[in-house]
Amino acid sequence: MKTFEKSTKLDHVCYDIRGPVMDEANRMMEAGERIVRLNIGNPAPFGFRAPDAILECMSRNLPNTEGYSDSKGLPAAREAILGYCRKKGLPNVTINDIYTGNGVSELIQLSMQALLNNGDEVLVPSPDYPLWTASVTLAGGAAVHYLCDEASEWNPDLKDMASKITSKTKAIVVINPNNPTGALYPDEILKGIVQLAREHDLILFADEIYDRLVMDGRKHTALASLAPDLMTVSLNGLSKSHLIAGYRCGWMALCGDKSRAKGYIEGINLLSSMRLCSNVPAQSLIPVALEHLDSTEELLVPGGRVYDQREYIYHAINAIPGVSVVKPKAAFYMFPKLDVERFHIIDDEKFVLDFLREKKILFTHGGGFHWPKPDHFRLIYLPCIEDLKLAATELADFLQTYHQ
């Protein structure tokens, strides 16, 4: 009898942020143990609620959103997205350049499948949102990781990026604001990336899902706005900024100079048509949501819940001997560093697993984000202050005696 094994491609993906540690957490929860989950950027379990206007829109539109839409999405949704693209300064975008998706994740996979042949290379940040590496790999390509420098507030290292461009490189992925570090890249870094893409004739992929979750009075610059002469694929959505992660509501816009991308765009259109369309009820929310761009602003300023929780956990983590963290400027994440010599840590996944079993608190190990050293972990600061205080207290206690 024929047997079916997993694809050998999966051996090289390392998409393991939901691997053995998550399996153990699920086992513990099934056994009735309470786990404090600081591992995934899902606002809903922590008491965050979608704006009333979106909930009302969903209720009102649901009876009218049966059936498939155009494969790219509802015209009203794409018109609203087009208006947002113009607001952000994305160049040369028409309604036909916009595709809705079941979250940005679906569109990342679709965009890589349409682009890559076996052996093609894509520059992906380290650390990264691991779906990028997985999608490149499963499309037959090779994800080549460029360094984001912790000493430079987690900004991309342009020299390292340049050193990794080869004749096989097809594209550069930029995640800004960044997951898992919370970094927000300054314009001079973005311009440097654009210049590298210009010199080597590369496509840019701009993952900007957190562009409306920026703190401290800073502003986000859309990568495509700096590259009108290049092709940029800009990805965005509502899951985080409008606190509706489960609605699966994302989009992709093809920007800039598309004159030499006819074959690629044909591939995108084919794959978009093959999945028929994205979630139509979620699409119907986009026009209303993009009229309420300030819906989460009150959370991001002093006195707002996200801002205050970031401030607390940032200072609490840095107060733990042997642990340090760069303050995130955006999103919900931070990426603390462990003193591996002090704790003799040689396996960051084991560290997270040991902490989970002893303290019933769940982090994600740095290797899950393709960080090459066993010295980092990611935590989210969406949980309430009480849970963050518990996590910091228990981590300090755990590390007093921890040694691998």
Side-chain angles (χ1 to χ4, degrees):
M1 179 179 293
K2 184 177 181 180
T3 59
F4 296 89
E5 303 293 339
K6 75 171 183 177
S7 168
T8 56
K9 289 181 181 179
L10 292 175
D11 293 331
H12 307 290
V13 170
C14 295
Y15 186 47
D16 54 1
I17 61 171
R18 294 178 178 87
V21 177
M22 194 66 238
D23 290 343
E24 178 66 5
N26 287 333
R27 184 198 65 77
M28 293 169 69
M29 287 186 286
E30 289 169 1
E33 299 183 66
R34 179 182 182 265
I35 304 297
V36 177
R37 299 184 59 172
L38 278 71
N39 67 311
I40 189 168
N42 181 11
F46 306 111
F48 291 93
R49 187 171 179 268
D52 288 340
I54 289 181
L55 298 174
E56 292 166 5
C57 181
M58 171 67 90
S59 177
R60 184 174 64 253
N61 285 342
L62 195 58
N64 304 317
T65 52
E66 297 178 359
Y68 302 126
S69 71
D70 180 271
S71 63
K72 292 182 180 180
L74 295 169
R78 289 188 288 145
E79 285 285 1
I81 294 166
L82 179 60
Y84 185 70
C85 291
R86 289 172 176 162
K87 180 174 180 162
K88 294 286 291 187
L90 275 56
N92 191 29
V93 182
T94 72
I95 192 170
N96 289 325
D97 297 314
I98 293 169
Y99 302 75
T100 62
N102 296 302
V104 168
S105 297
E106 178 188 47
L107 296 169
I108 290 172
Q109 296 173 66
L110 187 153
S111 66
M112 291 296 101
Q113 289 170 351
L115 177 68
L116 299 177
N117 294 312
N118 287 338
D120 287 342
E121 295 176 354
V122 177
L123 297 191
V124 178
S126 174
D128 71 339
Y129 174 56
L131 182 65
W132 278 106
T133 294
S135 297
V136 170
T137 304
L138 293 174
V144 178
H145 293 101
Y146 64 83
L147 177 68
C148 293
D149 183 7
E150 186 170 20
S152 180
E153 298 188 313
W154 288 115
N155 290 324
D157 184 325
L158 296 178
K159 289 183 179 179
D160 185 67
M161 185 182 290
S163 73
K164 291 174 177 174
I165 296 173
T166 72
S167 60
K168 296 181 180 180
T169 307
K170 298 290 286 291
I172 301 174
V173 173
V174 180
I175 305 173
N176 178 44
N178 185 266
N179 175 10
T181 66
L184 178 71
Y185 302 155
D187 284 5
E188 57 266 29
I189 293 291
L190 297 176
K191 289 175 181 177
I193 296 171
V194 167
Q195 185 58 31
L196 286 175
R198 186 176 289 127
E199 291 171 2
H200 297 277
D201 195 23
L202 304 177
I203 296 176
L204 292 166
F205 287 87
D207 183 343
E208 298 176 337
I209 187 80
Y210 298 101
D211 71 338
R212 296 176 297 281
L213 292 168
V214 175
M215 287 176 272
D216 307 318
R218 293 180 170 87
K219 300 296 182 183
H220 174 268
T221 298
L223 185 64
S225 70
L226 304 175
D229 57 321
L230 303 178
M231 181 171 180
T232 302
V233 180
S234 179
L235 299 114
N236 213 314
L238 304 178
S239 292
K240 312 299 184 178
S241 63
H242 289 72
L243 309 174
I244 53 172
Y247 287 45
R248 312 311 297 136
C249 194
W251 63 80
M252 174 173 74
L254 309 184
C255 314
D257 183 5
K258 301 178 283 286
S259 62
R260 293 180 295 128
K262 181 180 178 181
Y264 178 43
I265 294 171
E266 288 175 350
I268 289 174
N269 289 338
L270 176 62
L271 291 171
S272 179
S273 297
M274 286 173 63
R275 50 104 210 224
L276 297 179
C277 68
S278 67
N279 181 335
V280 181
Q283 290 182 48
S284 73
L285 304 176
I286 293 174
V288 170
L290 291 180
E291 291 175 0
H292 292 80
L293 292 176
D294 58 351
S295 59
T296 54
E297 283 186 2
E298 64 183 19
L299 299 172
L300 305 171
V301 295
R305 184 176 161 190
V306 173
Y307 179 94
D308 288 353
Q309 289 172 185
R310 180 198 64 164
E311 290 297 292
Y312 170 77
I313 196 65
Y314 166 71
H315 292 290
I317 289 293
N318 276 316
I320 299 173
V323 189
S324 62
V325 67
V326 175
K327 180 182 279 192
K329 300 179 179 70
F332 308 133
Y333 314 104
M334 57 180 58
F335 203 54
K337 182 178 183 178
L338 298 160
D339 184 337
V340 292
E341 293 186 5
R342 181 187 186 111
F343 306 115
H344 197 253
I345 294 174
I346 57 175
D347 184 338
D348 54 338
E349 187 172 47
K350 175 175 168 53
F351 158 73
V352 169
L353 191 57
D354 290 342
F355 184 62
L356 169 67
R357 286 170 171 158
E358 182 171 328
K359 297 297 189 179
K360 299 180 177 56
I361 298 170
L362 179 59
F363 296 143
T364 307
H365 67 293
F369 303 96
H370 300 101
W371 183 250
K373 299 177 182 179
D375 59 352
H376 280 77
F377 63 96
R378 189 191 75 170
L379 63 84
I380 63 167
Y381 47 90
L382 287 170
C384 63
I385 284 283
E386 288 73 19
D387 280 346
L388 293 176
K389 287 181 177 178
L390 175 66
T393 301
E394 294 287 40
L395 179 61
D397 180 71
F398 178 79
L399 289 174
Q400 284 186 1
T401 58
Y402 188 69
H403 188 86
Q404 282 189 4

